[in-house]
Amino acid sequence: MRAVVFDEYGDQSVLKVKDVPDPTPGAGEVLVLVEASGVNFMDVYQRTGTYQVQLPFTLGSEGAGTVLHLGDGVAGLSPGDRVAWTGVPGSHAQQAVVPADRLVPVPEGISTEQAAAAILQGLTAHYLTHDSYAVRAGDTVLVHAAAGGVGRLLTRIVTHLGGRVVATAGTDEKRDIARADGAVRAVAYADALDAVRDVSDGAAAVYDGVGKDTFDTSLEALRPRGTLVLFGAASGKVPPFDPLRLMKGSYSLTRPTLGHFIAARHELLERAETLFGWVADGVVEVAVTGRYPLDGVQDAYAALEGRRTTGKLLIIP
Ligand code: NDP
């Protein structure tokens, strides 16, 4: 089969499409035909060595497809079942081996492509809005990079929960998308504080996946006892930070990651059920804005990292 592999850290040019042996599922594992695989910043951190991985490494950490073959001891699944997964390396490939307890059934009414596009970023948006900070009706919430993959889902979900989103995004076109998703204000990053203060006494929460470039603004934007949810570093890592800065407003700061919020199988399934329900009901829109073959993988990541994307990019192996 063909797969996207890298054997050294670097820019997009280290990504190679190679012929590799077909994988075999071991006990408790399932072989899946990958129909679509999501393009995510997590893959960028792995490729650049920000997150260290075992080299050579097959890229791709989410996908959806059809069950081909069950390893020993797997019950409750059959060849032909449609499934999705996240947090499993090796997804930018024609086939992937996935632990059975990491697979989520794709319900009727959701396409396999929608499931691949929604699962990582959608589960992320779910735990961010329900656990990292539980949004309440009337809250003003600042969402950075609101036209991005996670950002669009956050704007929709916060609005659905009765919160008011002040959105930041890099271009007029992206700000229009944020408004269409429900943001009460959509502004350039430099105008974020003014916009928050215009509509509130400060943000109850800030969802910040941009990191280095936005961190100071995010803290400034909070109301007393507000929560800064720093969940990514699209612009780079936030430098070392003095906790005393939180005293200014008795702020809370959390730096969560999806794995801890879907570690228990029941939690993975419950969140996925809610997410897929939202997709089916149109609460969240799965906005696939680019589809690339395996051979287009360098272009896909160049677009994501070059801030040229909105919504979700997929690799179609
Ligand atoms: P996006 O689609 O949001 O793309 C990133 C966006 O960040 C860009 O489009 C751009 O929007 C903005 N941005 C601002 N500065 C930069 C910069 N210097 N370089 C690149 N982009 C920049 O990506 P994702 O939705 O895939 O991920 C968003 C964030 O969520 C990432 O930080 C990712 O790591 C994080 N994440 C965290 C998870 C967790 O559990 N902690 C899980 C999933 C994702 P604009 O042009 O509008 O500024």
Side-chain angles (χ1 to χ4, degrees):
M1 69 155 188
R2 302 177 79 227
V4 175
V5 180
F6 63 97
D7 51 20
E8 59 178 325
Y9 298 121
D11 64 15
Q12 298 98 15
S13 66
V14 301
L15 300 176
K16 310 289 183 212
V17 181
K18 293 192 174 168
D19 285 312
V20 298
D22 285 357
T24 313
E29 295 179 333
V30 176
L31 181 66
V32 184
L33 178 72
V34 182
E35 288 168 40
S37 168
V39 172
N40 290 292
F41 256 90
M42 149 92 93
D43 312 316
V44 176
Y45 304 143
Q46 291 173 335
R47 191 202 70 221
T48 54
T50 302
Y51 296 169
Q52 298 277 307
V53 294
Q54 179 89 40
L55 299 176
F57 189 79
T58 303
L59 198 66
S61 41
E62 74 173 334
T66 310
V67 171
L68 287 175
H69 187 66
L70 306 180
D72 287 345
V74 176
L77 284 169
S78 305
D81 285 353
R82 295 189 308 132
V83 288
W85 62 91
T86 180
V88 179
S91 302
H92 289 349
Q94 292 176 316
Q95 298 177 11
V97 165
V98 182
D101 66 0
R102 295 289 88 195
L103 286 173
V104 173
V106 179
E108 291 291 314
I110 305 287
S111 71
T112 310
E113 186 178 275
Q114 282 178 312
I119 189 154
L120 189 155
Q121 295 174 341
L123 295 179
T124 299
H126 185 277
Y127 87 75
L128 291 175
T129 52
H130 289 71
D131 297 277
S132 296
Y133 174 80
V135 174
R136 284 179 291 215
D139 281 345
T140 296
V141 172
L142 175 60
V143 175
H144 289 304
V150 179
R152 288 201 62 176
L153 296 164
L154 281 172
T155 302
R156 290 276 185 144
I157 294 168
V158 170
T159 304
H160 175 66
L161 296 171
R164 297 186 306 165
V165 172
V166 174
T168 59
T171 66
D172 283 339
E173 186 209 349
K174 290 183 176 188
R175 294 188 278 273
D176 285 344
I177 289 171
R179 277 183 213 105
D181 281 332
V184 297
R185 294 288 159 88
V187 297
Y189 290 94
D191 299 328
L193 284 180
D194 286 345
V196 167
R197 288 169 185 161
D198 207 22
V199 300
S200 69
D201 295 332
V206 179
Y207 292 113
D208 186 346
V210 173
K212 182 163 72 70
D213 290 354
T214 44
F215 184 79
D216 290 333
T217 302
S218 297
L219 262 190
E220 272 299 286
L222 292 171
R223 73 177 184 203
R225 296 168 59 182
T227 301
L228 171 47
V229 184
L230 177 68
F231 66 96
S235 69
K237 283 193 274 191
V238 175
F241 164 82
D242 180 358
L244 208 55
R245 289 178 65 191
L246 300 174
M247 203 175 90
K248 183 175 173 198
S250 299
Y251 304 131
S252 298
L253 169 66
T254 178
R255 191 0 180 144
T257 189
L258 174 62
H260 296 126
F261 294 83
I262 54 171
R265 177 147 181 82
H266 73 89
E267 216 174 352
L268 169 66
L269 293 177
E270 284 161 16
R271 288 189 203 279
E273 191 181 340
T274 303
L275 171 66
F276 289 149
W278 284 337
V279 173
D281 295 346
V283 171
V284 301
E285 184 196 347
V286 181
V288 178
T289 54
R291 294 172 183 79
Y292 297 77
L294 285 176
D295 291 315
V297 69
Q298 294 186 5
D299 295 337
Y301 283 94
L304 181 73
E305 294 164 64
R307 302 173 74 166
R308 298 196 299 276
T309 64
T310 60
K312 184 75 186 181
L313 304 186
L314 290 176
I315 302 292
I316 310 291

